[in-house]
C-alpha cells in the first residue's frame, strides 16, 4: 500500500514575523525525493494563499510576493516577560488544522518542518494536535531547530528526528527508497506564487556567529540539471517570484550560478529572483552583476554586518567595505534599482564595541542603498553564542530570539534609537517610498 504522508509547516510564535519569501523548503525537498512513492497532503500555516487569508487586503502580497501573516496576540513566555514587545502567534488559526484533521482519513506519517530554534512552540502545538486527533500516526521532525538543539528537540514528543543533512535514516524509517534526482514537491500547494531554489550546499567561510560551517560539510554545487528541472516545475505552477536559500550562492560562480543564469536567459524564463539570505559582495564582478540583472534578479540583499575591519577580521573576514562599495557600483551600472539593493548589518552583536555600527550605517547610506539592521540571534554551537552565555541561557531556545537579544544586551532605548536612525537614513535616500 502507498504510504500517506502529511506535511506540516507550523505556525510561528514570536514578537514579529513577516512573509519574506518563507517556504518549508527542507521538508518539500525531502518529500520531492519520495514523489509518486507516497500520497502527500500539505498543511502550511504560513500559506497566505489559503482561503482564510487569500481574500483579505491586509494579507496581500507586495510586488515581489512578500506580505503579512494573520496573527493573534498571546502572553509573553515567562522567560521573555521582561521584553517590552507583544508576543504573537503567526499563521492560520488552530481550529482550521483541527477541522482539516477531522476531515482527512488517517496518515501513516506526519513530517513537520522546524526552522528557527526559538520557534519551537509552533512545532509543539502541531505535535499536540496531531497526537490528539491521530494517536497512531508517526511524527517526524527535521530542519534547523532539531539540528541545533538536539536534546531539547528530543523532549518534544516526536517519533523520529532527522538531524543535519544526512537523511538516509529517514528512508529506512518510512520504508521507501528515494529518487535523489527529483526536485522539491512544489505541486503539493493548491496555488503557488512564490518558490525557492538552492543551487549550492554550505559555505566556505567560518563566521563566528553562524552555524552553517558546522552543520554543512565542504561547500558543494548541487547537480545543475536538478535545479533547472525545479525551476521549470516552479514556472509551470505559475510562480512569479523565486528566493534563493543558498548560504554562498555566488561562490565558485563559474560552476554554479553563472551556468544556471545563462540557461535561464537562453530558455527565456521570465521570473523575478531574490536573495533574502544575503549575497557576498566580494564575488560580484561587473559581468556577474550584468548577468544577474539580465536573468531577472530584482532585489539584492548583501551581507555586510560592519564597516569595521577589526570586527570583520575577528568574526571571519567575509567581506570588507571596499568590496561592498565595488559590488554596489557594479549592480547599479548593470541596471539594478538602488532602492532594491540592501546591506544587512547585525544589531546587538556581542562585539558591538568594535563594530562601529553607526559609522557602518552611515557608510552604507553613503553608497546610496538601503541599510537593514538584522537583529542578532545567538546560535547554539557557534563561538559567539558561547560568549553570549553571560547574558542569556542558551539551553532555552526561546532565549535565542532575535528581537529579545539586542534588547537584553543593549537595552530597549538604545535598540530603538539605532532602529530609528536606520529608518531616518533610508528615508533620506528614498523619501517617496
Ligand atoms: C533561508 C533562511 C532564512 C530565510 C527564511 C527561511 C524560513 N523558511 O523561515 C530568511 C532570509 C527570511 C531568514 C531570516 C533569518 N534567519 Co535564516 N536561514 C535560512 C537558511 C539559509 C535556510 C533555512 C532553511 O529553510 N533550511 C531548509 C533547507 C533549505 O535546508 P537543507 O539543508 O536543504 O535541508 C536538508 C536537511 O536539513 C533536511 N531537512 C530540512 N528540513 C526538514 C524537514 C523535515 C520534516 C525533514 C524530514 C528533513 C528536513 O532535509 C533537507 C534535505 O536536503 C538557514 C541556514 C541553512 N543553511 O540552513 C538560515 C538560519 C536558519 N537563519 C538563521 C538566522 C540567524 C536568521 C535571522 C535571525 C537573521 C537575522 N538576524 O535577521 C532571521 C530570522 C527571521 C525571523 N523572522 O526570525 C540561523 C538560525 C537562527 C536560529 N536561532 O535558529 C540559520 C541557521 C543561519 C545561521 N546564521 O546559522 N533565514
Ligand atoms: S559567509 Fe554567511 S553563511 Fe558563510 S559562514 Fe559567514 S555568515 Fe555563515
Amino acid at each position: 500500500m502507498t504510504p500517506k504522508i502529511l506535511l506540516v509547516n507550523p505556525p510561528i510564535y514570536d514578537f514579529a514575523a513577516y512573509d519574506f519569501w518563507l517556504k518549508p523548503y527542507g521538508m518539500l525537498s525531502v518529500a520531492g525525493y519520495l514523489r509518486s512513492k507516497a500520497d502527500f497532503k500539505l498543511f502550511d500555516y504560513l500559506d497566505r494563499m489559503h482561503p482564510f487569508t487569500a481574500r483579505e487586503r491586509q494579507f496581500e502580497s507586495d510586488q515581489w510576493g512578500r506580505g503579512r501573516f494573520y496573527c493573534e496576540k498571546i502572553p509573553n513566555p515567562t522567560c521573555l516577560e521582561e521584553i517590552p514587545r507583544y508576543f504573537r502567534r503567526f499563521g492560520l488559526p488552530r481550529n482550521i488544522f483541527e477541522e482539516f484533521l477531522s476531515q482527512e482519513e488517517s496518515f501513516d506519517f506526519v513530517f513537520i518542518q522546524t526552522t528557527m530554534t526559538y520557534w519551537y512552540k509552533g512545532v509543539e502545538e502541531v505535535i499536540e494536535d496531531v497526537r490528539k486527533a491521530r494517536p497512531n500516526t508517526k511524527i517526524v521532525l527535521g530542519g534547523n531547530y532539531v539540528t541545533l538543539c538536539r536534546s531539547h528537540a528530543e523532549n518534544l514528543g516526536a517519533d523520529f528526528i532527522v538531524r543535519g543533512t544526512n537523511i538516509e535514516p529517514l528512508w529506512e524509517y518510512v520504508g521507501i527508497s528515494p529518487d535523489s534526482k527529483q526536485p522539491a514537491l512544489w505541486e503539493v500547494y493548491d496555488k503557488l506564487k512564490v518558490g525557492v531554489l538552492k543551487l549550492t550546499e554550505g559555505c566556505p567561510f567560518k563566521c563566528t556567529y553562524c552555524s552553517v560551517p558546522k552543520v554543512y560539510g565542504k561547500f558543494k554545487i548541487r547537480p545543475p540539471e536538478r535545479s533547472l528541472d525545479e525551476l521549470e516545475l516552479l514556472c509551470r505552477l505559475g510562480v512569479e517570484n523565486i528566493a534563493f536559500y543558498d548560504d554562498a550562492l555566488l561562490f565558485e560562480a563559474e560552476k554554479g550560478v553563472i551556468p544556471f543564469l545563462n540557461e535561464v536567459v537562453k530558455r527565456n524564463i521570465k521570473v523575478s529572483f531574490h536573495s533574502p539570505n544575503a549575497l557576498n559582495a566580494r564575488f560580484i564582478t561587473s559581468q556577474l552583476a550584468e548577468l544577474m540583472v539580465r536573468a531577472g534578479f530584482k532585489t539584492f540583499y548583501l551581507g555586510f554586518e560592519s564597516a569595521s575591519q577589526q570586527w570583520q577580521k575577528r568574526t571571519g573576514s567575509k567581506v570588507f567595505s571596499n568590496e561592498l562599495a565595488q559590488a554596489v557600483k557594479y549592480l547599479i551600472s548593470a541596471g539594478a534599482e538602488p532602492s532594491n539593493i540592501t546591506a544587512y548589518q547585525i544589531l546587538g552583536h556581542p562585539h558591538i564595541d568594535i563594530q562601529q555600527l553607526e559609522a557602518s550605517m552611515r557608510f552604507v547610506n553613503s553608497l546610496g542603498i538601503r541599510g537593514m539592521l538584522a537583529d542578532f540571534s545567538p546560535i547554539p554551537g557557534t563561538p559567539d553564542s558561547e560568549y553570549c552565555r553571560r547574558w542569556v541561557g542558551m539551553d532555552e531556545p526561546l532565549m535565542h530570539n532575535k528581537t529579545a537579544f539586542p534588547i537584553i544586551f543593549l537595552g530597549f532605548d538604545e535598540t530603538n534609537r539605532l532602529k530609528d536612525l536606520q529608518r531616518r537614513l533610508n528615508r533620506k535616500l528614498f523619501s517617496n517610498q
Side-chain angles (χ1 to χ4, degrees):
M1 268 236 312
T2 315
K4 284 192 71 185
I5 303 179
L6 172 64
L7 306 172
V8 183
N9 192 28
I12 296 172
Y13 284 62
D14 202 338
F15 295 101
Y18 185 70
D19 188 358
F20 204 60
W21 302 292
L22 263 53
K23 292 283 174 229
Y25 191 50
M27 178 173 72
L28 295 172
S29 303
V30 168
Y33 297 137
L34 304 179
R35 182 179 269 108
S36 72
K37 298 182 176 196
D39 286 339
F40 286 101
K41 277 266 161 145
L42 170 75
F43 193 93
D44 183 348
Y45 283 84
L46 305 180
D47 181 10
R48 290 179 299 107
M49 298 277 164
H50 185 281
F52 180 78
T53 40
R55 282 181 297 270
E56 294 233 25
R57 280 202 72 175
Q58 54 175 321
F59 307 120
E60 265 175 20
S61 297
D62 70 6
Q63 84 178 121
W64 306 129
R66 299 163 294 195
R68 282 170 200 267
F69 292 122
Y70 169 79
C71 71
E72 290 157 20
K73 261 190 219 164
I74 52 169
N76 286 28
T78 318
C79 62
L80 296 172
E81 247 165 12
E82 302 295 303
I83 305 298
R85 294 234 196 268
Y86 290 119
F87 207 66
R88 294 161 208 264
R89 179 192 175 283
F90 294 86
L92 296 173
R94 202 162 173 168
N95 67 307
I96 297 190
F97 185 52
E98 287 163 351
E99 274 163 34
F100 168 87
L101 284 177
S102 70
Q103 284 159 13
E104 289 291 328
E105 285 172 29
S106 62
F107 292 97
D108 299 295
F109 301 97
V110 177
F111 288 5
I112 305 177
Q113 177 72 58
T114 78
T115 311
M116 302 301 150
T117 56
Y118 49 88
W119 287 353
Y120 76 86
K121 288 280 174 200
V123 180
E124 205 169 55
E125 179 195 299
V126 176
I127 295 178
E128 204 181 301
D129 290 349
V130 172
R131 284 279 180 249
K132 207 162 22 161
R134 295 277 180 269
N136 298 324
T137 299
K138 298 284 181 222
I139 298 179
V140 176
L141 305 181
N144 183 61
Y145 155 69
V146 297
T147 301
L148 298 182
C149 302
R150 292 179 84 94
S151 46
H152 191 274
E154 268 158 24
N155 295 321
L156 233 53
D159 297 295
F160 193 76
I161 299 184
V162 180
R163 292 195 179 84
T165 50
N166 177 16
I167 35 180
E168 288 298 318
L170 178 67
W171 312 138
E172 205 173 306
Y173 187 71
V174 297
I176 318 175
S177 55
D179 177 355
S180 60
K181 291 201 180 71
Q182 291 290 330
L185 198 79
W186 291 105
E187 66 274 22
V188 77
Y189 281 93
D190 290 335
K191 193 170 175 205
L192 191 69
K193 290 283 167 209
V194 166
V196 168
L197 282 176
K198 199 174 168 190
L199 307 185
T200 62
E201 301 272 354
C203 174
F205 292 92
K206 287 196 167 44
C207 300
T208 54
Y209 44 85
C210 177
S211 67
V212 170
K214 205 169 152 191
V215 172
Y216 292 80
K218 213 169 158 283
F219 173 85
K220 294 201 284 291
I221 298 190
R222 287 181 162 188
E225 273 317 311
R226 189 170 160 263
S227 300
L228 286 163
D229 286 351
E230 188 156 341
L231 172 64
E232 296 275 8
L233 169 65
L234 289 169
C235 292
R236 279 199 302 281
L237 295 171
V239 159
E240 292 160 2
N241 290 285
I242 294 181
F244 286 99
Y245 274 11
D246 298 68
D247 294 298
L249 179 67
L250 306 185
F251 189 63
E252 296 188 354
E254 65 294 345
K255 290 194 254 165
V257 74
I258 292 178
F260 177 84
L261 294 180
N262 277 330
E263 204 51 40
V264 170
V265 174
K266 197 168 128 202
R267 296 186 191 187
N268 200 21
I269 291 172
K270 300 278 179 238
V271 280
S272 298
F273 292 118
H274 309 276
S275 62
N277 198 38
L279 301 171
N280 189 320
R282 180 173 299 168
F283 303 119
I284 300 182
T285 60
S286 60
Q287 293 87 339
L288 181 53
E290 199 270 327
L291 177 61
M292 288 171 84
V293 172
R294 195 149 41 96
F297 265 83
K298 295 296 178 347
T299 65
F300 301 82
Y301 291 86
L302 307 169
F304 181 49
E305 323 311 349
S306 165
S308 152
Q309 265 211 27
Q310 195 190 356
W311 187 93
Q312 284 292 358
K313 284 187 177 155
R314 182 160 181 174
T315 57
S317 298
K318 80 171 174 191
V319 72
F320 294 104
S321 306
N322 57 329
E323 295 167 323
L324 180 75
Q326 182 84 282
V328 169
K329 208 173 88 193
Y330 290 150
L331 287 171
I332 294 174
S333 324
E337 271 295 321
S339 63
N340 287 333
I341 307 175
T342 305
Y344 289 129
Q345 285 146 107
I346 298 189
L347 171 70
H349 185 271
H351 298 315
I352 197 161
D353 51 333
I354 54 165
Q355 192 189 1
Q356 299 170 357
L357 185 56
E358 277 194 51
S360 306
M361 286 154 71
R362 292 184 198 283
F363 170 72
V364 167
N365 192 253
S366 75
L367 302 176
I369 60 165
R370 266 179 214 283
M372 192 188 275
L373 294 178
D375 297 325
F376 176 73
S377 160
I379 305 169
T382 60
D384 288 356
S385 75
E386 286 308 310
Y387 186 66
C388 287
R389 282 186 188 273
R390 62 193 73 184
W391 295 284
V392 291
M394 288 298 296
D395 301 334
E396 169 49 66
L398 290 171
M399 298 314 290
H400 314 159
N401 187 290
K402 73 174 178 68
T403 302
F405 189 81
I407 294 176
I408 293 168
F409 176 58
L410 295 175
F412 188 59
D413 291 344
E414 178 62 358
T415 302
N416 282 345
R417 185 186 71 79
L418 289 162
K419 289 192 173 184
D420 200 50
L421 172 63
Q422 184 62 78
R423 245 174 263 128
R424 277 187 284 122
L425 287 169
N426 285 341
R427 222 176 291 138
K428 216 167 68 185
L429 285 179
F430 309 108
S431 53
N432 54 343
Q433 292 175 27

